Amino acid sequence: MNPLNFRTLDLNLLRVFNEVMVERSLTKAASKLSLTQPAISNALRRLRETLGDDLLRRSGQGLEPTPRALALWPTVQEALRQLEETLSPGSFVPAEANTTFVLATADSTAAELIPGLVKVLDQDAPGVTIRVVPLTTRDPRRLLQEESADMAIGYFPAVIAGLTAQAEAGEAVAFHHQRLYYSKYVCVMRRDHPLASEPLTLERFCEARHLLVSFSGRPYGFIDQALASLGRQRHIVLTVNQFFTAGRVVATSNLLTVLPRHFVSVTGIADQLVLRELPFEVPAIHVDALWHRRVHHHSAHEWLRGVVAQLPSRAHADKLTSSVIDLGQ
């Protein structure tokens, strides 16, 4: 391979490379760039020859990036983003915008925050559209990297710890995050459950039949990890991937489940449920917003982050207002 001469490098090849990395498909990348598929293939061939690396290889129905491609991509994305911001400046005007944002979050978090977000859209940004997609992982970085979502909102303890460690070590960090609110997990059961009228001990908790909420579908969660550290385990009868489903099932069965405390009040069936403190220690829930650094300085994304940061206080105010109304009745 001849040494790379950057002065003669066609920068359009990097735009093609970026889109193919995002889409993992020549056809989709061609559509996004308004090019033909042969043109995309030709551009990738030229870039491969220039860099001396395959960059992307066929894998099943898609394309698998090489280690060199994965290492190169964040730098290319950031450079293209900075060029776009410099050449096409402009501030985001909510009242005039027709932007679509994609948020990845669990149903419990959506129930807490989205009603307030809808009010903001109605009042300040009537042309803005929000798409909420299911959060199926505790590590949504690939989702954000591939631009499948603009922001992920949820409980990402391992991710946040890793990003914090990178930043403290002076390393470049590809993602930003913001703490939104705290909560805690509690044991939930139907109001007339046999355990509802007596103290919930560790022994009784482990002997009961349980429902597990698992985004990934794995029949093992952080509650089971905490129990394992005590040399104990529970009997999981049912695994679901939504907190709402869990609430509905335990309200009409003898199963126990573990839910975020803040979520129970928005289920619509809180009066049918009993909450008990867990008889062992588990970490508090830190709900964070997470996004990729390439959008960090986008004015539209800055507006979105500002709105999302205010949603927990809006939700709290709405609950207080609802309580006052209930008392008045």
Coordinates of all heavy atoms in Angstrom, one line a residue, residues 104 135 137-145 149 152-153 156 159 175 290:
A104 N -35.4 6.3 23.2 CA -35.4 4.9 23.6 C -35.5 4.8 25.1 O -34.7 5.3 25.8 CB -34.1 4.1 23.1
L135 N -36.8 0.2 25.0 CA -35.4 0.0 25.4 C -35.3 -1.5 25.8 O -35.9 -1.9 26.7 CB -35.1 0.9 26.6 CG -33.7 0.9 27.1 CD1 -32.8 1.5 26.1 CD2 -33.6 1.7 28.4
T137 N -32.2 -3.0 26.4 CA -30.9 -3.3 26.9 C -30.5 -2.3 28.0 O -31.1 -1.2 28.0 CB -29.8 -3.2 25.8 OG1 -28.5 -3.4 26.3 CG2 -29.9 -1.9 25.1
R138 N -29.6 -2.7 28.9 CA -29.0 -1.7 29.8 C -27.8 -1.0 29.3 O -27.2 -0.2 30.0 CB -28.6 -2.5 31.1 CG -29.8 -3.0 31.9 CD -30.6 -2.0 32.6 NE -31.7 -2.5 33.4 CZ -32.7 -1.8 33.9 NH1 -32.8 -0.6 33.6 NH2 -33.6 -2.4 34.7
D139 N -27.5 -1.3 28.0 CA -26.3 -0.6 27.4 C -26.8 -0.2 26.0 O -26.6 -0.9 25.0 CB -25.1 -1.5 27.3 CG -23.9 -0.8 26.7 OD1 -24.0 0.4 26.3 OD2 -22.8 -1.4 26.7
P140 N -27.4 1.0 25.9 CA -27.9 1.5 24.6 C -26.9 2.2 23.7 O -27.3 2.9 22.7 CB -29.0 2.5 25.1 CG -28.4 3.1 26.3 CD -27.6 2.0 27.0
R141 N -25.6 2.1 24.0 CA -24.6 2.8 23.2 C -24.6 2.5 21.7 O -24.5 3.3 20.8 CB -23.2 2.7 23.8 CG -23.0 3.4 25.1 CD -21.7 3.2 25.7 NE -21.6 1.8 26.2 CZ -20.6 1.4 26.9 NH1 -19.5 2.2 27.1 NH2 -20.6 0.2 27.4
R142 N -24.8 1.2 21.4 CA -24.9 0.8 20.0 C -26.1 1.5 19.3 O -26.0 1.9 18.1 CB -24.9 -0.7 19.8 CG -24.9 -1.1 18.3 CD -24.7 -2.6 18.2 NE -24.7 -3.0 16.8 CZ -24.5 -4.2 16.4 NH1 -24.3 -5.2 17.2 NH2 -24.5 -4.5 15.1
L143 N -27.2 1.5 20.0 CA -28.4 2.1 19.4 C -28.1 3.6 19.1 O -28.6 4.1 18.0 CB -29.5 2.0 20.5 CG -31.0 2.3 20.1 CD1 -31.4 1.1 19.2 CD2 -31.8 2.3 21.3
L144 N -27.4 4.3 20.0 CA -27.1 5.7 19.7 C -26.0 5.8 18.7 O -26.0 6.8 17.8 CB -26.7 6.4 21.0 CG -27.7 6.3 22.2 CD1 -27.1 6.7 23.5 CD2 -28.9 7.3 21.8
Q145 N -25.0 4.9 18.7 CA -24.0 5.0 17.7 C -24.5 4.8 16.3 O -24.1 5.5 15.3 CB -23.0 3.8 18.0 CG -21.8 3.7 17.0 CD -20.7 4.7 17.3 OE1 -20.4 4.9 18.5 NE2 -20.1 5.3 16.3
A149 N -31.6 6.0 17.6 CA -32.2 6.8 18.6 C -31.4 8.1 18.8 O -30.2 8.0 18.7 CB -32.5 6.1 19.9
A152 N -31.3 8.0 24.8 CA -31.8 6.8 25.6 C -32.0 7.3 27.0 O -31.1 8.1 27.5 CB -30.8 5.7 25.5
I153 N -33.1 6.9 27.6 CA -33.4 7.4 29.0 C -33.6 6.1 29.8 O -34.5 5.3 29.5 CB -34.6 8.3 29.1 CG1 -34.4 9.5 28.2 CG2 -34.8 8.7 30.5 CD1 -35.6 10.4 28.1
F156 N -28.7 2.9 33.6 CA -27.5 2.4 32.9 C -26.3 2.4 33.8 O -25.3 3.1 33.5 CB -27.2 3.1 31.6 CG -28.4 3.5 30.8 CD1 -28.7 4.8 30.4 CD2 -29.2 2.4 30.3 CE1 -29.8 5.1 29.6 CE2 -30.3 2.7 29.5 CZ -30.6 4.1 29.2
V159 N -22.8 1.5 32.3 CA -22.4 2.4 31.2 C -21.9 3.7 31.8 O -20.8 4.2 31.5 CB -23.5 2.7 30.2 CG1 -23.2 3.8 29.2 CG2 -23.9 1.4 29.5
F175 N -19.8 9.5 24.5 CA -21.2 9.7 24.9 C -21.2 10.7 26.1 O -20.3 10.7 26.9 CB -21.8 8.3 25.3 CG -21.9 7.3 24.2 CD1 -20.8 6.5 24.0 CD2 -23.0 7.3 23.4 CE1 -20.8 5.5 23.0 CE2 -23.0 6.3 22.3 CZ -21.9 5.5 22.1
L290 N -28.9 9.6 28.0 CA -27.6 9.3 27.4 C -27.7 9.6 25.9 O -28.7 9.3 25.3 CB -27.3 7.8 27.6 CG -26.0 7.3 27.1 CD1 -24.8 7.8 28.0 CD2 -26.0 5.7 27.1

